[in-house]
Amino acid sequence: MKLRSYMLVGFFLSLVLNIVPFSGNFTNAATPTAVAPVSAVSFTQGVQKTVLDNGLTVLTKEVHTAPVVSVQVWYKVGSRNEVKGESGISHQLEHLMFKGTTDRPVQFGRLFSALGSQFNAFTSYDQTAYFGTVQRDKLEALLTLEADRMKNSLIGTEQLTSEKRVVISELQGYENSPGYRLSRAVMRDAFPNRAYGLPVGGTKADVEKFTVEQVRNYYQTYYSPENATLVITGDFATEPVLKVVKETYGKLAKRGKEVKGTLLRQNMERGNIAASVVAPTTKKAPIVLKQPGSAALLQVVYPLPDIKHPDVPAIDVMDAILTGGRSSRLYQALVESGLASSVSGSPAELIEPGWYEINATAAPGQELGKISQVLQESLAKLQEQPVTTEELNRAKTQLQASFVLGNQDITSQAIQLGYNQIVAGDYHFIEQYLAAIAKVTPDQVQQAAKTYLNPAKQTIGFFEPTQPDGKPGASSAGSGRTVENFSPGKPVDPAELAKYLPPATSATDSGKQSLPEEFTLNNGLRVLLLRDRNLPTINLSGQIDAGTKFDGNQKAGLANLTAANLMNGTQTKNALTLAKTLEDRGADLNFGASREGVSVSGEGLSADLPILIQTLADVLENATFPTDQLELSRQRALISLKVQLDDPRGLGRQVFQQAIYPENHPFHSFPTAESLKSITRDDLLGFYQTHYRPDNTTIAIVGDFDPVKVKPLLNQAFGKWSATGKPPVLKIPSVPFPQTLTRLNKVIPGKSEAVTYIGYNGISRKDPRYYAALILNQILGGDTLSSRLGTEVRDRQGLTYGIYSSFAAGINPGPFLIQMQTAPGDAQKAIASTLALLKQLREQGVTEAEFNAAKRSITNSYPVDLANPSNVSSIILDNTVLGLSRSEIRDFPQRIQAVTMAQMQQAIEDLIKPESLIIVTAGPEETVLKGS
């Protein structure tokens, strides 16, 4: 019953459920002998369901933990509703819903951005959803905008023509992924006569043929009040808001009608659905794709029942036992054995019968046939023998804890309500689901495996890469000249936009953001504590000054391998014991190396804070780096490298970064197969002993805890950790702007879409121009729908699915970059357009209205960030590591507002250098031919 990664557009959505009360007392319980049900009552408590006369369902839930609200509109229409020849029309319509209305003929992304909304949308199999989260005084404005586009969306030739190109760019971007191509082939074979068997985004052939009348009819049919659910969560009073809803939405008339052919298709599917779930068929031969790529992939799909079927809880527990973490059966059988570098499982339980899929990536040199054999043996064992009590309880705890941890912000709570109402038909569905999870027995799991993991009903696919070693193709350097001249239009006038913007109700008093308590242990470890009793959760963030900047070219990958091996064993626990320690509680702890440090991220229920801290201290002080685990992680790193070099985004970013920073610069270093193979266990031990020190480490904890109890816990866990001498210090040399404009191209065989990076070295976080640079970036490319780049290159010309700019400002200066994805034939025009916009910005600057609008957008959006405790944990950590004031989390909006127009113009003069750009394009060969 989890929301899955098949949500194509917008966020990766994780299902969120109820929170459980917390007494404030810590426990150190081992694996529970029984799993108490997680009640959904408090999650659904306070939810009020109202159905307007026109059929619109309205769900409201007051959550007064932060001065923000989330408004979401969920339409019960997705790719499930599409007929032959219109694959992707739901997704195409989703794009068009941002193009404006008859009353507001402007890009809605610009309106949302002006409100400071964090907004997005997605299309899936059963639903299309639109959501925005804002300060509470913008609630009525969001309601007005969503009601407007429910009735009055502009769907004309101009809008459809430009947005078709954007959608095709998006689809072609997916084509770059071998995993996407394999999944498409497997799903088409598994469900040949069902809409679920086609990609949610549709096919290029169908998208190209859409007519205005066709899309408009689809809109008129499905975007009707009786087919929609409006969800509002957050800091508001229900009765006044319902009054506004009735005034705003109550006047919208029903207009739904049956789409020609839909009933016929649905009747046809019902027979196929029943047959696909119940009746065994002859076991099919594997689908084999032999195409350019980097890694060998396996996917297996089994039919499942719909979301309301009583077997769903047992199926989800079965999935957690098979693929839920390192202790799971398939991870142990495939990854720990060295056969696969990764394995995952995903049940899709939908309005109509769905499917269960298992995906695996082969380790270097391993045969897909062998992986498939071991996989089938593992599934057969699950069918033949009941699962253990330990496995069952761990799976239940993981499912329940993930629901609690996923419910930490109001956006996710609204998503939960909308999903259950649309897909299950009742937002209360979560209550019976969680109660059923707690009651699942070993026999029910075994029976689910027998029923649904039937080899006679499976569809299996192999992706066998034809390109050896994942090596990129040829490269070329361009002359620095562009093929065409381009003159951008005038910058958008915010005053013109303002006339379409609904007013805010009143000024929001965001209140005083609490500041973290900061202290340093005797050994130099810095700690930040911020108590938040709104939710029974813990969010832990940390950083260790042990990043890839210390690698050097000869041992590139050393920092990453060291971080990846921390959880592989300590002096008292092996890798499996460490994994079970956390997974038995549904807690999580991860490490990852970046340029400037190793990031630590952990989360769990409040009672599990001691386990998180003790496990973190154990691996930071006592990691042993077992040789066998090092070899497995090395193989995974080699596969990851192949995948990166086969991805235009990964290869393009590496080439871009290495073009900016000279070979002797720490930021030039990227792993190679040779460097990864040369790293020894002694190298890891040496790096660990040198760089993993308490005086190199900062930890931030946000959540429901008593600081009086946490301090002795920290002292006890970390008190014996010590280091001698001073920590290593690396002097990062400064890098000048490039002397000329430089073009570089990399060819990757088998790709459909190109990715381009444009930029040069930028600024550090403590640079006095940083706040001006943030405002500048917001105007230039901070949002793909509302910025100058987005307005011109994406929205008007339709040349790219996404275009963004950013300043990667860390402890040291990082790149200023613009990134975009284009069709090969559009890359040159998009680059020319971007260069012209940079020149326009440099020569003409920004207007006062743009400047003030960008300030408002940044400061209005900031409270939404602070409404999520996970974000707060990261923000207070980053501020400390970057050497900023403890009060920065509170003062940030004022610092943005304090920037003057003169400072902005100086930042443009200093930081926008159109004549000094590095331009790197990676993708198909025809990109190079047109762009060299």
Side-chain angles (χ1 to χ4, degrees):
M1 219 283 288
K2 295 183 283 186
L3 286 178
R4 301 299 176 183
S5 56
Y6 51 73
M7 301 299 193
L8 268 187
V9 182
F11 299 117
F12 170 80
L13 303 171
S14 54
L15 187 62
V16 291
L17 283 97
N18 165 63
I19 58 178
V20 292
F22 170 56
S23 65
N25 297 317
F26 293 129
T27 63
N28 266 308
T31 307
T33 55
V35 178
V38 174
S39 170
V41 173
S42 64
F43 180 79
T44 56
Q45 189 173 17
V47 176
Q48 184 169 326
K49 179 180 177 180
T50 306
V51 180
L52 304 189
D53 291 342
N54 58 10
L56 178 71
T57 298
V58 184
L59 302 178
T60 53
K61 181 185 179 185
E62 296 183 26
V63 184
H64 301 289
T65 56
V68 297
V69 291
S70 186
V71 173
Q72 304 186 6
V73 180
W74 290 64
Y75 294 95
K76 191 175 182 179
V77 60
S79 63
R80 177 180 69 91
N81 302 90
E82 296 164 1
V83 297
K84 187 175 181 180
E86 65 176 27
S87 169
I89 195 170
S90 303
H91 177 230
Q92 180 71 73
L93 178 56
E94 177 222 315
H95 277 247
L96 288 167
M97 289 286 283
F98 286 90
K99 300 294 278 188
T101 65
T102 52
D103 292 339
R104 295 178 175 86
V106 293
Q107 165 58 251
F108 262 45
R110 288 166 50 208
L111 296 174
F112 293 138
S113 180
L115 293 173
S117 176
Q118 294 190 5
F119 67 95
N120 217 314
F122 71 84
T123 304
S124 190
Y125 295 96
D126 294 335
Q127 71 275 78
T128 308
Y130 304 83
F131 37 97
T133 304
V134 292
Q135 291 187 93
R136 61 188 171 205
D137 60 309
K138 314 296 191 309
L139 170 57
E140 289 189 25
L142 271 189
L143 289 171
T144 300
L145 292 175
E146 289 295 354
D148 188 17
R149 64 177 176 173
M150 182 181 284
K151 179 183 179 183
N152 303 312
S153 279
L154 279 175
I155 302 173
T157 301
E158 180 184 348
Q159 292 81 14
L160 181 59
T161 299
S162 69
E163 211 60 28
K164 269 189 187 183
R165 295 186 71 179
V166 171
V167 166
I168 290 170
S169 173
E170 179 184 357
L171 296 180
Q172 295 297 94
Y174 298 144
E175 291 286 335
N176 282 350
S177 165
Y180 174 84
R181 302 200 299 270
L182 177 63
S183 179
R184 182 181 57 193
V186 169
M187 290 295 290
R188 186 179 292 155
D189 191 72
F191 306 110
N193 299 311
R194 296 184 58 199
Y196 283 170
L198 294 173
V200 169
T203 65
K204 181 182 177 183
D206 280 357
V207 170
E208 287 175 334
K209 291 184 292 187
F210 290 153
T211 66
V212 170
E213 181 183 17
Q214 187 180 10
V215 180
R216 194 179 287 154
N217 284 341
Y218 201 79
Y219 169 68
Q220 292 290 338
T221 299
Y222 290 110
Y223 278 56
S224 185
E226 76 276 15
N227 199 48
T229 297
L230 170 65
V231 186
I232 309 168
T233 57
D235 193 17
F236 65 91
T238 300
E239 290 311 313
V241 166
L242 280 178
K243 182 180 178 183
V244 173
V245 168
K246 289 172 183 176
E247 292 171 352
T248 308
Y249 290 81
K251 60 188 178 185
L252 303 181
K254 292 182 181 181
R255 62 171 190 262
K257 57 184 178 180
E258 187 63 53
V259 171
K260 184 179 180 181
T262 300
L263 283 176
L264 175 62
R265 181 193 62 76
Q266 290 177 346
N267 289 331
M268 177 186 70
E269 282 191 358
R270 287 191 184 104
N272 288 318
I273 290 165
S276 66
V277 175
V278 178
T281 61
T282 305
K283 187 174 180 180
K284 295 185 286 188
I287 297 163
V288 180
L289 297 187
K290 295 185 177 182
Q291 299 174 357
S294 54
L297 308 174
L298 175 148
Q299 183 178 51
V300 190
V301 166
Y302 299 90
L304 286 185
D306 63 74
I307 193 171
K308 293 183 180 180
H309 195 282
D311 287 348
V312 161
I315 291 168
D316 285 2
V317 172
M318 176 189 76
D319 170 51
I321 289 169
L322 285 172
T323 65
R326 189 168 189 167
S327 62
S328 66
R329 290 196 177 191
L330 292 184
Y331 190 98
Q332 290 294 311
L334 296 177
V335 180
E336 291 288 358
S337 68
L339 286 173
S341 64
S342 66
V343 64
S344 63
S346 180
E349 292 133 351
L350 306 169
I351 291 176
E352 294 174 2
W355 62 92
Y356 181 54
E357 69 178 70
I358 299 172
N359 292 280
T361 301
Q366 297 295 335
E367 295 294 328
L368 291 172
K370 177 63 175 176
I371 295 172
S372 177
Q373 177 189 337
V374 174
L375 169 64
Q376 298 297 333
E377 289 169 357
S378 298
L379 300 184
K381 183 177 179 181
L382 186 63
Q383 294 169 330
E384 294 161 4
Q385 301 172 17
V387 299
T388 67
T389 302
E390 179 187 8
E391 284 181 299
L392 184 69
N393 288 340
R394 183 183 304 121
K396 292 180 181 182
T397 301
Q398 286 177 339
L399 285 169
Q400 294 172 347
S402 72
F403 298 157
V404 177
L405 294 166
N407 188 33
Q408 296 190 80
D409 63 281
I410 63 164
T411 301
S412 297
Q413 292 181 38
I415 289 170
Q416 170 69 65
L417 292 170
Y419 184 85
N420 280 324
Q421 184 64 35
I422 291 292
V423 180
D426 182 4
Y427 73 90
H428 283 294
F429 174 77
I430 200 62
E431 298 164 17
Q432 65 196 58
Y433 171 80
L434 282 177
I437 286 286
K439 296 176 182 176
V440 170
T441 66
D443 286 345
Q444 288 174 320
V445 174
Q446 186 179 13
Q447 187 57 49
K450 288 179 178 178
T451 303
Y452 300 108
L453 303 181
N454 184 343
K457 292 188 286 185
Q458 75 177 12
T459 305
I460 186 167
F462 296 158
F463 180 88
E464 298 178 355
T466 57
Q467 186 180 352
D469 301 326
K471 292 178 180 177
S475 63
S476 65
S479 63
R481 297 178 181 174
T482 57
V483 172
E484 58 192 289
N485 293 317
F486 174 77
S487 179
K490 285 187 176 181
V492 174
D493 183 2
E496 177 73 12
L497 185 70
K499 70 183 184 183
Y500 301 118
L501 199 64
T505 51
S506 61
T508 294
D509 176 14
S510 296
K512 286 286 186 181
Q513 167 64 39
S514 299
L515 300 182
E517 179 183 359
E518 184 175 353
F519 57 92
T520 304
L521 303 186
N522 291 335
N523 57 10
L525 187 147
R526 290 185 295 178
V527 179
L528 299 139
L529 296 179
L530 184 59
R531 190 177 194 179
D532 180 353
R533 305 212 69 177
N534 290 314
L535 295 162
T537 58
I538 295 296
N539 291 275
L540 184 151
S541 300
Q543 179 152 316
I544 306 149
D545 190 11
T548 61
K549 64 185 180 184
F550 292 109
D551 275 359
N553 291 325
Q554 298 304 310
K555 295 291 181 180
L558 177 56
N560 267 303
L561 271 183
T562 305
N565 277 271
L566 289 173
M567 294 291 290
N568 282 339
T570 67
Q571 293 173 9
T572 57
K573 294 183 174 75
N574 63 20
L576 183 56
T577 304
L578 283 170
K580 287 182 177 179
T581 299
L582 297 171
E583 291 169 8
D584 284 347
R585 312 295 298 177
D588 200 25
L589 185 62
N590 293 292
F591 302 87
S594 60
R595 282 199 309 271
E596 295 190 326
V598 171
S599 63
V600 184
S601 62
E603 62 176 6
L605 303 182
S606 303
D608 301 327
L609 179 57
I611 289 174
L612 274 173
I613 290 177
Q614 289 158 8
T615 304
L616 175 62
D618 192 18
V619 299
L620 292 183
E621 298 176 48
N622 305 309
T624 54
F625 304 100
T627 301
D628 58 339
Q629 290 291 343
L630 169 58
E631 291 310 312
L632 290 174
S633 64
R634 189 199 313 277
Q635 296 305 308
R636 291 194 289 270
L638 287 167
I639 281 291
S640 178
L641 175 63
K642 284 185 177 183
V643 171
Q644 177 188 331
L645 295 179
D646 187 53
D647 184 342
R649 293 168 301 177
L651 178 61
R653 182 60 191 264
Q654 177 175 327
V655 173
F656 173 76
Q657 185 114 349
Q658 291 186 323
I660 293 175
Y661 301 104
E663 192 169 340
N664 61 350
H665 194 283
F667 291 177
H668 182 90
S669 173
F670 277 82
T672 64
E674 291 72 26
S675 69
L676 288 171
K677 290 174 182 177
S678 74
I679 294 170
T680 66
R681 179 174 178 272
D682 286 342
D683 291 329
L684 262 66
L685 282 169
F687 191 88
Y688 176 70
Q689 292 161 359
T690 301
H691 297 286
Y692 283 71
R693 307 164 49 107
D695 50 358
N696 262 357
T697 304
T698 305
I699 297 170
I701 305 173
V702 174
D704 185 15
F705 57 81
D706 183 349
V708 174
K709 295 180 179 179
V710 172
K711 289 177 183 177
L713 182 64
L714 290 165
N715 276 305
Q716 180 183 10
F718 292 101
K720 295 180 182 178
W721 192 21
S722 62
T724 57
K726 293 184 177 181
V729 177
L730 191 64
K731 183 172 174 58
I732 306 292
S734 60
V735 175
F737 288 111
Q739 294 299 305
T740 59
L741 188 146
T742 303
R743 287 290 309 269
L744 298 169
N745 296 285
K746 300 295 287 187
V747 177
I748 309 180
K751 302 304 172 186
S752 304
E753 200 75 345
V755 174
T756 298
Y757 293 90
I758 302 173
Y760 35 65
N761 193 39
I763 58 175
S764 71
R765 176 61 176 85
K766 294 188 77 174
D767 190 295
R769 300 165 295 186
Y770 175 76
Y771 299 100
L774 270 189
I775 300 168
L776 166 62
N777 187 71
Q778 180 70 18
I779 295 168
L780 175 64
D783 184 286
T784 198
L785 293 183
S786 63
S787 63
R788 285 194 183 186
L789 287 169
T791 298
E792 183 62 48
V793 183
R794 183 198 191 277
D795 205 42
R796 190 176 75 83
Q797 299 187 68
L799 295 175
T800 176
Y801 168 55
I803 183 166
Y804 305 90
S805 64
S806 64
F807 286 89
I811 299 170
N812 302 286
F816 161 71
L817 63 87
I818 297 167
Q819 177 185 351
M820 61 179 136
Q821 170 187 309
T822 61
D826 289 338
Q828 182 55 39
K829 187 174 182 181
I831 291 168
S833 303
T834 301
L835 298 186
L837 282 164
L838 289 172
K839 289 174 184 175
Q840 180 190 68
L841 180 61
R842 173 65 190 230
E843 293 167 3
Q844 301 176 20
V846 301
T847 66
E848 191 85 35
E850 273 186 305
F851 176 60
N852 291 327
K855 280 185 175 184
R856 285 193 300 271
S857 182
I858 294 170
T859 56
N860 286 342
S861 177
Y862 188 62
V864 180
D865 288 328
L866 300 184
N868 188 328
S870 177
N871 291 343
V872 172
S873 175
S874 298
I875 290 169
I876 63 176
L877 173 78
D878 291 345
N879 288 344
T880 300
V881 169
L882 291 163
L884 304 174
S885 164
R886 189 165 57 100
S887 64
E888 174 69 16
I889 190 171
R890 177 186 291 171
D891 298 340
F892 174 79
Q894 288 72 40
R895 297 191 192 280
I896 290 291
Q897 292 293 354
V899 175
T900 65
M901 192 64 166
Q903 290 171 323
M904 164 62 69
Q905 301 295 8
Q906 188 63 52
I908 293 172
E909 185 176 333
D910 293 346
L911 302 176
I912 300 300
K913 306 285 185 182
E915 71 284 355
S916 301
L917 293 164
I918 302 290
I919 304 174
V920 174
T921 300
E925 186 171 3
E926 54 265 38
T927 308
V928 174
L929 296 177
K930 292 178 181 290
S932 296

